[in-house]
Amino acid sequence: MLFGMPPTNDDWESRNFGIFILGAGFSAPAGLPLADELWSDILTHARTFQGRAQQFWDDLDYYIDFRRRADGKALNREQVNFEEFLGFLDVEHYLGLRGSDTWSEDGNETQVVIKTQIGKILSRRMPEPGKIPAVYLRFAEKLQPSDLILTFNYDLLLERSLESVGKPYRLFPRRYESVRKHISTVDYSQDEVVVLKLAKDI
């Protein structure tokens, strides 16, 4: 059963299982930033970057110039669509367009800088376990071991909510009792909510 809207009490009681797809809006009521706010925070912190991290500004200005030449859009730094910029960086890195100047397997300088900043911002904005809004705790309490959560969020709000109510979960599809070369045995003994993080590697 796929819930596109928050389930009613009858839905909760009658379902055999649920598949929940969570986007950034799930975390917003807890004070975690949406993309536009995240981009604003990153730009603010970027003013303190030094050394190789200053490549961020070169890549950002190159992207702005690319958009001007490609589709005639005149953007300033604040107007850049955060997710489109990240996609641009992903393509550049995945295709190896920098050749020998590719910085690392984890991404070029700007990608690594942005990953680090996202982690810092979300960590700073995450509510402490005792301050998680009640709506998240109620959601976590009602989840069943057969439920599957697909989430695009980088934050740990769902995991912290599950931990707060003592609900077992795992971040991978299956547990195995044994793994052999040609066959593996699935472990069905543990009742856990399955949480799969689908956020792309940026």
Side-chain angles (χ1 to χ4, degrees):
M1 182 182 297
L2 174 62
F3 292 122
M5 297 287 290
T8 66
N9 287 335
D10 289 341
D11 289 330
W12 280 113
E13 299 301 328
S14 63
R15 68 199 172 95
N16 292 320
F17 71 94
I19 300 175
F20 300 86
I21 301 175
L22 307 181
F26 175 81
S27 302
L32 291 162
L34 297 175
D36 288 347
E37 187 180 356
L38 197 58
W39 180 235
S40 178
D41 281 355
I42 289 172
L43 286 177
T44 297
H45 289 287
R47 297 188 181 99
T48 67
F49 291 167
Q50 298 178 351
R52 296 294 291 267
Q54 290 182 321
Q55 180 67 37
F56 171 88
W57 296 113
D58 292 338
D59 287 340
L60 179 56
D61 290 339
Y62 180 81
Y63 172 75
I64 290 172
D65 185 59
F66 166 77
R67 292 300 304 272
R68 179 187 59 78
R69 290 182 285 110
D71 53 25
K73 286 193 175 182
L75 302 172
N76 60 41
R77 290 169 170 176
E78 289 73 18
Q79 292 172 327
V80 166
N81 182 295
F82 181 37
E83 294 173 327
E84 291 179 359
F85 177 47
L86 295 180
F88 177 83
L89 296 174
D90 287 342
V91 170
E92 177 189 68
H93 183 259
Y94 182 77
L95 296 180
L97 299 181
R98 291 193 184 182
S100 60
D101 289 334
T102 297
W103 194 50
S104 76
E105 292 182 358
D106 297 320
N108 287 318
E109 296 94 333
T110 299
Q111 289 172 292
V112 173
V113 163
I114 291 176
K115 288 178 184 180
T116 302
Q117 291 304 314
I118 288 174
K120 288 181 178 180
I121 293 167
L122 294 183
S123 178
R124 188 172 64 249
R125 299 280 293 270
M126 264 292 296
E128 297 177 4
K131 296 182 178 179
I132 295 174
V135 64
Y136 296 101
L137 302 181
R138 289 197 298 271
F139 176 74
E141 286 173 347
K142 287 182 174 290
L143 290 172
Q144 301 173 2
S146 54
D147 290 337
L148 172 63
I149 312 294
L150 306 176
T151 175
F152 295 91
N153 294 350
Y154 302 112
D155 63 71
L156 301 176
L157 180 60
L158 176 61
E159 293 93 313
R160 295 295 177 264
S161 299
L162 289 164
E163 291 165 4
S164 293
V165 301
K167 185 81 64 171
Y169 69 92
R170 63 177 183 266
L171 297 174
F172 44 89
R174 295 181 180 85
R175 290 190 185 275
Y176 292 95
E177 292 179 355
S178 61
V179 179
R180 302 182 182 90
K181 184 175 182 180
H182 297 294
I183 190 171
S184 300
T185 304
V186 177
D187 180 4
Y188 292 105
S189 65
Q190 301 192 53
D191 291 334
E192 299 167 310
V193 175
V194 177
V195 179
L196 300 182
K197 309 282 280 191
L198 305 179
K200 68 178 182 176
D201 184 14
I202 55 170

